[in-house]
Amino acid sequence: MTSVAYRFEVSLTGTPPAGGILAAGARVPIAGGAPPEFGGSAEPWSPEHLLVSAAALCFLTTAEWFARRAKLELRAFSCRAEGLVEKTPAGLAFTSVRLEVHATVPRGDTARANALLATAKKHCLISNSLRCPVELAADVDEAATPVAA
Amino acid sequence: MTSVAYRFEVSLTGTPPAGGILAAGARVPIAGGAPPEFGGSAEPWSPEHLLVSAAALCFLTTAEWFARRAKLELRAFSCRAEGLVEKTPAGLAFTSVRLEVHATVPRGDTARANALLATAKKHCLISNSLRCPVELAADVDEAATPVAA
């Protein structure tokens, strides 16, 4: 029996005196650097913002996967994500990530959507990779029009 | 006594039928979506690539912080970073991240640089936030010119 494994590769080229450029295949490169909180600037993406982004995006892509399988139409989706970094016995680390999600689904699909978002949270592989808890606050509303025939 | 806490906020706006746009203040927005491995495409940044990016970039910014403090000049820095995702008892999750770092420092500073990179690895707050181990393979070489007077 072979186990399933996926590899994700990124390159980072430093731009002295600070930060660097992140690249991964065909993706648009990202300028990265320390955030203002740690002596950097507010323009490059910081490691902390990228980690919070990974958590939010993983929640969305996982929800989309379950929605396709359940034939539930996510008509709109937005998320405000916040990560908290604190001193821990092991040094600075994320101690929580909170995802405030707003989704719009066809009329009559709210209950299914709430169940689906809870399932997506449980299966998000970024959440599963973090030491800290990821909290979900989901708010689902219904579009004026019902499920397409 | 108040504890130190830092908050990092990101917004994600879905672009149905798949993926979304990540934004955080003045930073250039990032198009995100599932990777090809999970039914997506190779053009948007995936959650998995963003997590590996966060680990690599945190290592760089932490090394820069210690280098400034030690007055050690990192003349060049590059990193190939790879994350492995596997099935675990809790579901799919990262099981390891490997950082292959190449740095160039002034002549005579190799030993100091190797010690500094090991320290940076220990203090990287993204590594401290992950369940899986982060492995560092560092390769330091010296520029032809010595430390500036």
Side-chain angles (χ1 to χ4, degrees), chain A residues 37 48-49 52 80 82-86 94 96, chain B residues 5-9:
Chain A
E37 289 82 350
E48 295 78 14
H49 285 95
V52 175
R80 181 189 163 274
E82 186 180 270
L84 188 67
V85 168
E86 295 178 286
F94 277 92
S96 72
Chain B
Y6 305 94
R7 285 172 198 282
F8 297 93
E9 188 181 331

Side-chain angles (χ1 to χ4, degrees), chain A residues 6 12 14 28 45 77 79 81 85, chain B residues 6 10 12 14 28 45 77 79 85:
Chain A
Y6 305 95
L12 171 61
V28 176
W45 282 82
F77 178 98
C79 175
V85 168
Chain B
Y6 305 94
V10 167
L12 171 60
V28 177
W45 282 82
F77 178 98
C79 175
V85 168

Side-chain angles (χ1 to χ4, degrees), chain A residues 82-121:
Chain A
E82 186 180 270
L84 188 67
V85 168
E86 295 178 286
K87 259 200 159 151
T88 73
L92 282 173
F94 277 92
T95 53
S96 72
V97 174
R98 180 177 164 84
L99 307 178
E100 292 170 10
V101 168
H102 184 95
T104 304
V105 296
R107 205 166 67 205
D109 266 347
T110 293
R112 282 213 305 152
N114 274 315
L116 185 142
L117 295 178
T119 302
K121 177 182 178 283

Side-chain angles (χ1 to χ4, degrees), chain A residues 50-60 79 81 97 99 124 126-127 130 134, chain B residues 12 47 50-51:
Chain A
L50 291 174
L51 184 125
V52 175
S53 293
L57 183 60
C58 190
F59 178 75
L60 170 58
C79 175
V97 174
L99 307 178
C124 170
I126 301 295
S127 299
L130 296 178
V134 176
Chain B
L12 171 60
L50 292 174
L51 185 126

Side-chain angles (χ1 to χ4, degrees), chain B residues 26-39:
Chain B
R27 296 163 188 89
V28 177
I30 297 171
E37 289 83 348
F38 302 135

Side-chain angles (χ1 to χ4, degrees), chain B residues 21-111:
Chain B
I21 303 293
L22 293 154
R27 296 163 188 89
V28 177
I30 297 171
E37 289 83 348
F38 302 135
S41 98
E43 283 169 24
W45 282 82
S46 73
E48 295 78 14
H49 286 96
L50 292 174
L51 185 126
V52 175
S53 294
L57 183 60
C58 189
F59 178 75
L60 169 58
T61 57
T62 307
E64 286 174 342
W65 192 89
F66 282 105
R68 274 196 302 278
R69 210 174 65 157
K71 299 195 194 317
L72 186 148
E73 188 192 350
L74 286 175
R75 293 206 181 156
F77 178 98
S78 64
C79 175
R80 181 189 162 276
E82 185 180 271
L84 187 67
V85 168
E86 293 179 288
K87 259 200 160 153
T88 73
L92 282 173
F94 277 92
T95 53
S96 72
V97 174
R98 178 176 166 85
L99 306 178
E100 291 170 10
V101 169
H102 184 94
T104 305
V105 296
R107 206 165 65 204
D109 266 347
T110 294

